[in-house]
Amino acid sequence: MAGFADRHRLAIVFGGRSTEHAISCVSARGVLAAVDRTKYEVVPVGIAPDGRWLVLPDDPAVLAGVGQELPQVRPDSGRGVVLPPDPNGASLVAVGPAAGGPPVVTGGLGDLDVDVVFPLLHGPYGEDGTIQGLLEMAGLPYVGSGVFASAAAMDKQHMKTLLAAAGLPVGPYAVLRAGEALSEAEKTRLGLPVFVKPARGGSSIGISQVDAWADLDTAIKTARESDPKVLVEAAIVGREIECGVLDTLDGGPPETSLPAEIVIDSAAGFYDFEAKYSSDATRLDVPADLPAGTADRVRAAAAAAFLALDCAGLARVDVFLTPAGGVVLNEVNTMPGFTPSSLFPRMWAASGLDYPDLVDRLIQVALRRGSGLR
């Protein structure tokens, strides 16, 4: 076991500017509680909803919600820092307020060098390649996929294009950019019901099930509150199955977890935000009750999707299993929910890798990969 003097300094970055801010904080609380402090010196960095970066105490209790409220990073909850795009200086530079203006770099206020970053950010401004590009500019290794894979997986249109180009099955869909409407020909092609969702988002925020075309405009308006580009997807009849993917420490082919199944009470509709986080109508079967051959096909499709998008570190791949036994890819999530009760860690626990070891493996993979093209 490494001594304290040999510890790597790990920055856990969470919160952010997206609508998934609170879910990111919940994920960070779980990781903070699981990190082995004999191997890592932890620097929690919360990003407030206004974009401010703050160093917070290394204490999971800081991210406990109040009452029924989900946790959040308050702009006054820590010391301000920035991550400069310069690999030759301190990784985190302290900032102070400027009189009548924005924060300014002060230096000398406990600037920190960081060895590796765990960006536990969900949605835009974190899971979409933006922070990954910043970390690349700073020369910092980080957990998870790089700039391209993060951006491609976040944009469901381009994700589906790449998966289809790799010969992987995806369901029928249409793309509506700002100001566009669904044509009658597209309505005929897709049929009813359809699901309308923001092209770049997560946690099922802004998604609507449309059972009558008269409700389509309202659903599009709801989705465009999160993203001006919208996907309209044909409903796929089948079981909702998910599978975790991990990079190996030796750089070999990615490994896949035992699949899990999302089972929703038919009266509750679909797997929306409420069903994910606050409903009793959802049951998660971990592992899924699948014949061995079917589970193998799901795992093979998940690994193929991971490679098709050039993912790194980790991903959760969501598929539909049709009544005929076909596997249709739905989404690739490059930074899935990461609380101990989240589906991704639970799938790996069922596969023999518990939560603390999963966290450690992801950090070790990031350290070995380095940054850039190294």
Side-chain angles (χ1 to χ4, degrees):
M1 182 178 294
F4 283 99
D6 302 318
R7 294 186 300 170
H8 289 288
R9 184 173 284 155
L10 167 70
I12 297 176
V13 182
F14 54 90
R17 296 166 58 189
S18 83
T19 54
E20 298 175 79
H21 177 101
I23 305 306
S24 172
C25 292
V26 176
S27 292
R29 186 173 64 204
V31 172
L32 282 169
V35 171
D36 184 349
R37 297 311 194 280
T38 67
K39 297 178 69 173
Y40 306 103
E41 178 187 351
V42 177
V43 181
V45 179
I47 302 178
D50 65 0
R52 216 171 306 187
W53 289 44
L54 305 159
V55 173
L56 303 182
D58 180 13
D59 181 1
V62 172
L63 294 173
V66 178
Q68 296 298 314
E69 295 181 3
L70 290 169
Q72 65 173 312
V73 179
R74 300 189 311 276
D76 60 351
S77 58
R79 175 166 54 93
V81 291
V82 294
L83 181 67
D86 179 3
N88 301 307
S91 304
L92 294 172
V93 178
V95 297
V104 296
V105 175
T106 60
L109 294 179
D111 301 346
L112 294 171
D113 285 315
V114 170
D115 299 308
V116 61
V117 177
F118 200 142
L120 275 165
L121 296 163
H122 307 308
Y125 305 107
E127 197 181 347
D128 58 354
T130 49
I131 194 171
Q132 289 78 11
L134 183 59
L135 294 170
E136 294 282 1
M137 291 289 289
L140 280 171
Y142 54 91
V143 171
S145 290
V147 175
F148 173 79
S150 298
M154 174 58 62
D155 190 311
K156 297 175 180 64
Q157 176 198 1
H158 296 298
M159 174 198 68
K160 292 176 185 292
T161 298
L162 290 168
L163 294 177
L168 299 171
V170 298
Y173 67 97
V175 178
L176 301 179
R177 291 175 172 81
E180 294 180 342
L182 195 67
S183 68
E184 293 301 319
E186 293 283 40
K187 291 179 182 178
T188 300
R189 180 175 69 88
L190 296 174
L192 286 171
V194 294
F195 289 90
V196 180
K197 61 181 64 174
R200 295 157 290 198
S203 293
S204 299
I205 294 171
I207 297 182
S208 303
Q209 178 176 331
V210 174
D211 297 305
W213 292 124
D215 300 325
L216 179 64
D217 288 345
T218 299
I220 292 172
K221 181 179 179 181
T222 298
R224 282 184 171 148
E225 291 174 359
S226 299
D227 189 343
K229 185 165 74 169
V230 169
L231 257 66
V232 182
E233 298 177 339
I236 305 294
V237 176
R239 299 165 67 181
E240 293 190 49
I241 307 294
E242 306 200 350
C243 185
V245 187
L246 283 178
D247 262 335
T248 57
L249 286 169
D250 61 6
E255 295 181 358
T256 55
S257 72
L258 293 172
E261 181 172 10
I262 300 167
V263 182
I264 306 170
D265 187 322
S266 59
F270 67 99
Y271 196 43
D272 61 4
F273 184 89
E274 182 180 356
K276 283 185 176 182
Y277 300 112
S278 60
S279 173
D280 295 328
T282 303
R283 187 181 81 242
L284 305 177
D285 290 346
V286 186
D289 183 13
L290 300 173
T294 303
D296 289 344
R297 290 201 306 276
V298 170
R299 297 174 77 166
F306 187 88
L307 294 172
L309 297 184
D310 203 21
C311 294
L314 75 161
R316 192 195 69 228
V317 180
D318 306 343
V319 308
F320 292 106
L321 184 63
T322 69
V327 176
V328 179
L329 289 161
N330 183 32
E331 293 188 11
V332 178
N333 191 318
T334 56
M335 188 52 70
F338 221 90
T339 72
S341 61
S342 295
L343 198 49
F344 184 83
R346 287 179 61 186
M347 287 189 290
W348 281 107
S351 306
L353 188 65
D354 67 18
Y355 189 80
D357 288 338
L358 173 62
V359 170
D360 184 65
R361 174 162 163 178
L362 288 169
I363 298 167
Q364 290 297 317
V365 166
L367 284 166
R368 294 192 183 199
R369 188 175 78 231
S371 62
L373 298 178
R374 289 182 289 173

